[in-house]
Amino acid sequence: MGSTALAASGTMTPAFAQATPPAPAAEATAPAVVDQINSITVVGTQRLEAETVRSYIRLRTGQLWTQVSADQALKDLYATELFADVAVRNNSGAVVIEVRENPVVNRIILEGNKRIKNDKIEPEIKLAPRQIYSRSKVRADVARIVELYKRQGRFAAVVEPKLVQLDQNRVDIVFEITEGPKSKVQQINIIGNEKFSDGDLRGEMVTKQARFYRFFSSGTSYDPDRLAFDQQKLRQFYLTQGYADFRVVSAIAELTPDKQDFIITYVVEEGDRYKFGDVKVESQIRDFDSERLTATLRMKKGDWYNAKMVEDTVESLSETAGLFGYAFADVNPDFQRDKETLTMGITFNVAESPRVFVERIDINGNTLTQDKVVRREFRLNEGDAFNSIQVKRTAERIKSLGYFQEELEVEQTQGTAPDRIVLTTNVEEKATGELSLSAGFSSIENFIFQGSVRQRNFRGVGQELRTNISYSSYSKSAEIGFTEPYLFDRSIAVSGDIFRRDLNSFNFFNNQRNTTYEQATTGFQLRVGVPVNEYIYFQARYGLSQDNISLDENTFFTDPDGTGPLPASCDPIVAGRFLCDATGKRLTSSLGYTLLYDDRDNRIRPTRGQSIGISQDFAGLGGSVKYVKTRINADKFWKPFGNFVFGLSLESGYIHPLESRGLESVGVDDVRLTDRFYLGEPQMRGFDIRGVGPRVQRVFFQGGVVNGVAVNTALTDRNQIQDDAIGGRAYYMGRAELQIPLGSGARELGLRPSLFLDVGSVFDVTRPILQTVQQRDEQGAPLYYFVDTTGTLQTSTTATNADGSARISALRFEERFYGDTWKPRMSVGFGVNWNSPFGPFRLDIARALLKEPGDDTKLFTFNVGTQF
């Protein structure tokens, strides 16, 4: 309810209309006159008893009346904050105390707050309905609300409290809030820097100057805590450059007169630059050789002093000690500063400490997940010698489960003895059940519907149960699967899937997407995996699937209605021999394996580490398909600087047939069309789906007359060319991608942008026999073009003109073969993932830099409502 409506039932006045108590009203006309107090009468009370009011003051009957005692009574009554007005009068010993009580709060109303909702402000307000109103309480609430806005970076926020007077001495309190714009950092000034420019130093700070291109950054808002952090960042930067005496003299943030922006000024004192002096390690631990450790130090005498290198050395020595079981090794750097030679000598003292063993492993915070799910990821057991590398690996493995928070650590605390340690993991469980229903539009598959149910921690024992159904204009699938990661509590993973997939392959002609063949696949796959060691994993699998590949008989078959002398069959002229060969039912029985090395820090969103894997599948254990398919892949991730993550991925594959079908003489490869490799969107951005590699294009012709002569002109518009990708036996693909970190505001929106470069090719297929088809008349005779006497283009079954010259064939189409080359295709671009309110969204803008004739490029792709 707004203030206008409130005013209808009462009078609205500023809450601070009487900012100070009225002057004392005691009527002692002359301090020399002294009366004895005979009675004390209280008038004007509504809710309070007269005796209660008298209990607040020190005046008592029988005392002498003085101006001092009257003034003290006024102060005592106003201090209770129960009264809006008080007067004390003395009529010859009859003291009258007249009061006007403060009203009772009826409601608290907030107006004008849009950036901060009521549920965030109301806990800050201490006044509440049915409490006694007082100006001091309102002032305190105003200060709290203003402070809340300041913490949000809105220093121009103004809160004006108003009262709406109601009957029965009640009031509504209205806080009218003018939020104002978010206060930005307009300018950062640095005074005293001589060795480094202002721009270099600003680049080290978290706080940034507000500029139009930083609309996603949260660092442009003023934050006092961030100001203190930036001082530490400046000090760290100078200490890494050798300036050991650097200090920030002062840091002042000034609010501009309009209270919308801040100007921050740093005054710094750089000091002298130091070099490393003598650097050595002195170890009291008998397993450590001081001279050998000294030889491994990164810093050398004469190098510029770097405090970060010193910190890293302390951490490295501590980890080395932990690797040998000394969990509580104390490494103290002893600095020897020489201001004359400007050198910094350092002695790393490794104090003697006992070798430590794991006394106990504690797991806290898990309510759904059973302890054994976490314990089996520990690389140390109770009673083992402590090893810091294994503790770090344990934390990485627990995070890779995906059941708990990202910032997870294994804490190390002293046990019951100096040589005992307790490892404690405090976990915070995340939701592991996923119910997803999404609908959207994809540039690949048009309309999409997808529904899935997945529980990654089924029954709290780490099992995964999943089912998925998807439907689009060109594909449908249903799948159910189950994974047991630790069979019989041993490191044996067993999983299986049952699936049905229907795929409509397609080509484009006249800008229309046309279905070529339909593939229905029904089958299952079983997998068993065991770890070879900490980083190497082996998996074996068996799969059995039935494929039924068909073509539309009305489009691609001769005599589809069966009225002719021969049975209906695939017409190579209409479909092409490569499509006719693909039709039929096939049973694929395959046995395969994967050998994987993986030391990435997180398998879901890695930031460092690498993985290398090889997999092979052997088809031919029964069934009608025989081949060996081999794939090799490698990934590496690291942080080149800051929070940027750079990823490099390489993969390749080859399929070798184990049977000769004897059809190469007619241009048909021994590897069937549906078993070959394909490349394009979404694996390789910048190219359309299956837009890279071997393909057959049907180029259609149009007759015409040029200078009185009949001509046959090929149509060059890509939309008028029928394009069929036929895949290849071999492929390779590489990807380099730089993930760009954003401010906290963009991260909360789920935005993850990246720059990428994709390169790859698919090749090696038997060259198909290409057809050139001539137009024919109703009897099947071939037609030829000629120009009649009026200059009009005509067709005839006669191949020569009257003068004996040859006529041009009236061509219908000509097939051309492109793309069977190992030469790389390359694209560069920009992409962004967004976890939008209506589902995951992926946008890529990529430009092909290298391509071959026949390749189908694409600049812009997006997907909404489905996983990528």
Side-chain angles (χ1 to χ4, degrees), residues 38 185 270 284 352 385 442 464 552 834 852:
N38 299 320
V185 177
E270 294 180 322
Q284 304 299 322
E352 184 177 2
S442 164
E464 180 176 317
D552 183 2
W834 176 32
E852 293 294 320

Side-chain angles (χ1 to χ4, degrees), residues 594-608:
T594 295
L595 186 62
L596 176 67
Y597 172 86
D598 188 353
D599 68 352
R600 294 173 297 174
D601 62 339
N602 194 313
R603 295 173 187 172
I604 301 173
R605 291 188 62 183
T607 61
R608 62 174 178 82

Side-chain angles (χ1 to χ4, degrees), residues 156 223 226 255 321 439 447 455 469 497 591 620 654 680 812:
D223 187 339
R226 195 182 294 138
L255 193 61
F447 175 77
Q455 175 53 262
I469 298 174
D497 296 285
L591 183 67
Y654 185 78
R812 179 184 172 192

Side-chain angles (χ1 to χ4, degrees), residues 423-609:
L423 301 180
T424 304
T425 303
N426 296 308
V427 300
E428 181 182 335
E429 291 184 320
K430 299 190 300 185
T432 56
E434 301 173 7
L435 171 62
S436 173
L437 295 174
S438 60
F441 185 85
S442 164
S443 58
I444 301 177
E445 300 186 82
N446 296 337
F447 175 77
I448 296 172
F449 171 81
Q450 184 180 48
S452 65
V453 178
R454 183 186 182 199
Q455 175 53 262
R456 293 182 290 110
N457 190 11
F458 184 56
R459 299 188 301 122
V461 295
Q463 297 171 342
E464 180 176 317
L465 181 64
R466 56 194 175 272
T467 180
N468 181 76
I469 298 174
S470 65
Y471 175 87
S472 72
S473 301
Y474 292 92
S475 67
K476 295 176 284 292
S477 68
E479 181 175 345
I480 184 171
F482 177 79
T483 299
E484 168 55 72
Y486 280 79
L487 185 65
F488 306 126
D489 290 329
R490 297 182 178 273
S491 296
I492 303 174
V494 178
S495 61
D497 296 285
I498 302 174
F499 54 84
R500 168 63 185 240
R501 304 184 185 112
D502 292 342
L503 169 69
N504 295 342
S505 188
F506 58 88
N507 61 26
F508 286 94
F509 181 66
N510 280 338
N511 212 25
Q512 297 293 320
R513 183 170 180 167
N514 306 302
T515 298
T516 53
Y517 65 86
E518 298 178 359
Q519 179 180 0
T521 303
T522 305
F524 70 89
Q525 187 178 76
L526 297 175
R527 298 176 294 275
V528 178
V530 293
V532 179
N533 59 29
E534 180 61 29
Y535 301 106
I536 299 177
Y537 185 80
F538 178 82
Q539 182 192 80
R541 57 184 170 270
Y542 174 77
L544 183 67
S545 62
Q546 173 78 48
D547 290 319
N548 185 11
I549 302 173
S550 60
L551 294 169
D552 183 2
E553 295 187 1
N554 292 325
T555 303
F556 297 103
F557 276 45
T558 58
D559 194 19
D561 55 4
T563 58
L566 298 176
S569 61
C570 180
D571 187 351
I573 294 179
V574 178
R577 189 176 297 277
F578 55 90
L579 280 183
C580 289
D581 170 69
T583 59
K585 294 183 178 181
R586 297 182 293 127
L587 182 66
T588 302
S589 175
S590 65
L591 183 67
Y593 75 90
T594 295
L595 186 62
L596 176 67
Y597 172 86
D598 188 353
D599 68 352
R600 294 173 297 174
D601 62 339
N602 194 313
R603 295 173 187 172
I604 301 173
R605 291 188 62 183
T607 61
R608 62 174 178 82

Side-chain angles (χ1 to χ4, degrees), residues 370-389:
Q370 296 184 12
D371 273 13
K372 69 176 184 178
V373 175
V374 183
R375 286 184 181 274
R376 64 197 184 195
E377 301 302 326
F378 270 80
R379 302 298 94 184
L380 290 170
N381 294 317
E382 294 169 344
D384 289 350
F386 176 81
N387 187 307
S388 58
I389 302 299

Side-chain angles (χ1 to χ4, degrees), residues 808-823:
I808 294 177
S809 298
L811 295 183
R812 179 184 172 192
F813 65 81
E814 176 183 87
E815 290 183 340
R816 299 174 182 177
F817 181 56
Y818 295 106
D820 189 12
T821 175
W822 59 268
K823 293 182 180 179

Side-chain angles (χ1 to χ4, degrees), residues 77-103:
L77 290 173
Y78 276 117
T80 64
E81 297 189 343
L82 296 174
F83 308 105
D85 193 13
V86 179
V88 180
R89 297 182 178 85
N90 178 21
N91 297 321
S92 300
V95 177
V96 178
I97 301 175
E98 185 177 350
V99 298
R100 180 163 58 86
E101 295 179 0
N102 271 330

Side-chain angles (χ1 to χ4, degrees), residues 305-333:
Y305 172 74
N306 188 326
K308 181 66 167 60
M309 194 177 294
V310 176
E311 292 178 6
D312 292 343
T313 302
V314 171
E315 183 178 351
S316 177
L317 289 173
S318 298
E319 287 186 356
T320 303
L323 184 61
F324 287 90
Y326 300 95
F328 302 110
D330 188 11
V331 181
N332 291 313

